Amino acid sequence: MIQEILRQFDEIVVETEFLNIREIRGLIHYKCKVQLIDGSNLRISEKWHEQQLIQYSYYWLDDENNLIIGWDNAPHHPEISTHPHHKHIQHTNRISTSNENSLKLVLNFIKQQIFC
């Protein structure tokens, strides 16, 4: 699934390194690192069960591996209106609401930032 989505963003994806793919009792866990054209990278972790995304984290890091924005659905920060979906924004050092709750939406966001 991840490979299909990444192919749709070949104008910003330079290289993909799969760090781990495991399947345990119907739960598939992907971890990979995607190098982007601007020197930044996206760290992807997704857990799928029966074709449904149940847990994710997408961390966009600069060329020195410092956080730019991190998206996840860990069940903390109940004060956020999009709970459990939220993002960590480095330059403001805060937690924010997030409507980017899939790899495709995150890559669309990053693409807009790179080409703006």
Side-chain angles (χ1 to χ4, degrees), residues 48-111:
W48 290 81
H49 185 261
E50 297 181 358
Q51 308 259 324
Q52 182 177 1
L53 180 62
I54 59 171
Q55 187 177 19
Y56 68 84
S57 66
Y58 310 113
Y59 279 75
W60 184 23
L61 308 176
D62 67 18
D63 59 351
E64 295 181 358
N65 290 320
N66 298 307
L67 179 68
I68 299 171
I69 300 175
W71 295 263
D72 68 72
N73 66 340
H76 49 255
H77 304 296
E79 71 280 6
I80 302 294
S81 65
T82 56
H83 180 267
H85 311 285
H86 62 280
K87 57 188 168 188
H88 305 259
I89 303 173
Q90 187 277 335
H91 69 277
T92 62
N93 200 24
R94 67 182 177 96
I95 307 300
S96 180
T97 60
S98 177
N99 295 313
E100 299 89 16
N101 55 17
S102 71
L103 179 56
K104 191 171 187 174
L105 291 173
V106 166
L107 285 168
N108 271 324
F109 177 89
I110 292 170
K111 179 180 169 182

Side-chain angles (χ1 to χ4, degrees), residues 33-48:
K33 176 182 175 183
V34 175
Q35 194 65 39
L36 303 171
I37 61 169
D38 67 347
S40 65
N41 67 83
L42 182 64
R43 307 291 173 97
I44 301 167
S45 176
E46 292 186 336
K47 289 184 182 176
W48 290 81

